Amino acid sequence: MDAITPRPALATGVAAASFFLITLNASLVTVALPSIGRELGADDALAWILSGYSLVFAVCLLPAGVWSDRVGARRAFAIGMTGFVATSMVCADASDLTVLLAARAVQGAAAAAVLPSGLALLTAATSDPVRRTRAVGRWSAAGAVALVVGSPVGGAITTTFGWSATFWLNVAVGLPILVATCAVPTGQRSVRRTGRLSIGPGAVVSTVTGFAVNFSSYGVIFVVTLFVQQLLEKSAWVSGLVFVPMTALIIPANLLAGRLTTRYGAGRVLLVGQGLMLAGLLGLCSVDEQVSLWALIAWLLPIGAGAGLVAPAMTTMMLDGIAAARAGFGAGLLNASRQVGSGTAAALFGALLGTAHFLAGFRVSLVVAAAVVAVSTFLGVSLAGVPSRRVVRGD
C-alpha cells in the first residue's frame, strides 16, 4: 500500500470528494431517467441504465479492493477516476441506448476501483487512530451530502440543460479530483505477497453491520415510498420530500460519529446507532393509512440518525480490524456487503408487498428489517463486545 503521506488533509479530501461524486452520480442518473427514455426511446430498458451500473459496481468492489492493495492505492484510484470521467463523457455524448448501457457498465467497474482505493488513501494518510476516525466521519458525511442534494440538483440540471448535462457534471467534478490525486505522494507500492490475510472480529462485525444497515435503510426507503404513493395516494414529489429530513440528519450524525467513536469506541457507537434504527423501524410498524405525513417523518428520523452514526463507526472498525496493507480489501469487502444488503432488501420487500395485503406486507417488511438489525447488533456484542472508553489523543 502507499506509504503514509505527509498531506493527510489532501488525501482525505480526495477520498471524500470521490465518495461524494459516486453517490451523486446515482441520484443524478435516477432523476434523468424519464428524459433519457423520451429522447432515446428506451422506456422498456430504462431500469438497466441503473441496474447495469449497480450490478457491475457491486460485483467488482471486492476484487477492486484486492487489486488496489496489489498495485498501490494512488495508482488504482487514478486509473479508476480516469475511467469514471471518460465513461461519463461517453454517456453524455451517447445517442444510442446500446452505447449508453455499455458505458454505464464500464462506469460501474471504474467506480468500484475508486471507492476502496480512496479509503485506502485515507488510511495511509492518517495513521493516528483518532485522526483516521474523524477523517472517516468526514468521508461518510460527503456521501450523505450528495444523497441530500443529488435529486434536486439532478432535477434542476436535467430540466434546464437536458439529461446529458448530468453526466457532464460528473466530468466537471471528477477532473479536479483527478488533478488533486497527482499531488498525493506516490509512496511505496505494496509488495506482491502481503502474507496471510487475517480478518479480526471487528472486520466480521463491520461486514455484517454493513449488510444490515443498508438492508434496513434502503428497504425502508423502498417500502415507505410505495406506502406514501399507493396507500396515502400522494404524489412522487411528496414521497421524495418525506425523506429529506431523514437524509439531512445523516450528515451531522456522520460528523458526530467520528468524535463519539474516538471517545467511546466504535462498538458503543454501533450499539447506539442500531438501537435508534430499531426504534424507528418498530415505530413505523404502527402506522396505517390514517397516519399523518409528519408522524411518518418522525419515525424516519431515528433511522436516519442511527444510520448516520453507524456508517463511520463500522468503517473505522473495518479499518482497525484488518492489516493496513489490506485496507483496499477491507474497504471493498465492507462496501460489497452494503451493496448486497441494498439489493436483497429491494428484491425481498418487493415480493412481500406484491404477495400480501399491502399494509400487511409493509409491516412484515419492517419487522424483517428490524430483525436483521437486531441480529447484527447481537453478533456485534458477541464477537467484538462493547469496548472500554477510548483515550482521546490530540486532533
Side-chain angles (χ1 to χ4, degrees), residues 157-186:
I157 290 177
T158 302
T159 301
T160 305
F161 303 106
W163 65 266
S164 62
T166 61
F167 292 106
W168 286 120
L169 182 61
N170 287 342
V171 177
V173 177
L175 283 176
I177 296 174
L178 189 57
V179 172
T181 306
C182 298
V184 178
T186 305

Side-chain angles (χ1 to χ4, degrees), residues 224-239 242 288-291 293 296 358:
V224 171
T225 297
L226 294 178
F227 176 86
V228 172
Q229 293 187 36
Q230 295 186 19
L231 216 60
L232 302 187
E233 298 182 341
K234 303 294 184 181
S235 67
W237 168 249
V238 171
S239 67
V242 164
D288 56 27
E289 60 270 18
Q290 304 300 320
V291 69
L293 289 178
L296 198 63
F358 184 88

Side-chain angles (χ1 to χ4, degrees), residues 2 4 46 51 55 59 105 127 156 158 164-165 183 226 253 264 293 316 318 330 354 361 372:
D2 295 326
I4 295 172
L46 280 182
S51 299
L55 287 172
V59 168
S127 59
T158 302
S164 62
L226 294 178
Y264 300 108
L293 289 178
T316 297
M318 172 62 78
V372 169

Side-chain angles (χ1 to χ4, degrees), residues 27 30 38 62 73 93 126 175 184-186 189 222 226 228 230-231 235 241 245 302 368 373 394:
S27 297
T30 300
R38 287 192 297 270
L62 189 55
D93 198 44
T126 51
L175 283 176
V184 178
T186 305
R189 192 175 69 177
F222 178 75
L226 294 178
V228 172
Q230 295 186 19
L231 216 60
S235 67
L241 290 178
V368 171
V373 173

Side-chain angles (χ1 to χ4, degrees), residues 262-392:
T262 60
R263 185 172 296 275
Y264 300 108
R268 291 181 184 272
V269 177
L270 285 182
L271 281 177
V272 173
Q274 290 177 297
L276 286 170
M277 295 186 71
L278 278 172
L281 289 166
L282 295 176
L284 282 174
C285 291
S286 66
V287 307
D288 56 27
E289 60 270 18
Q290 304 300 320
V291 69
S292 70
L293 289 178
W294 291 112
L296 198 63
I297 291 170
W299 285 121
L300 289 170
L301 290 179
I303 298 175
L309 289 175
V310 168
M314 68 183 179
T315 304
T316 297
M317 186 175 280
M318 172 62 78
L319 296 177
D320 288 347
I322 201 162
R326 299 285 192 171
F329 168 82
L333 177 62
L334 172 58
N335 287 284
S337 72
R338 297 183 70 176
Q339 290 295 315
V340 171
S342 301
T344 303
L348 176 59
F349 295 166
L352 289 172
L353 293 175
T355 57
H357 183 269
F358 184 88
L359 187 58
F362 173 78
R363 287 173 174 165
V364 170
S365 297
L366 292 171
V367 169
V368 171
V372 169
V373 173
V375 170
S376 169
T377 305
F378 175 78
L379 183 65
V381 173
S382 300
L383 290 183
V386 180
S388 59
R389 185 170 177 169
R390 240 184 187 180
V391 178
V392 179

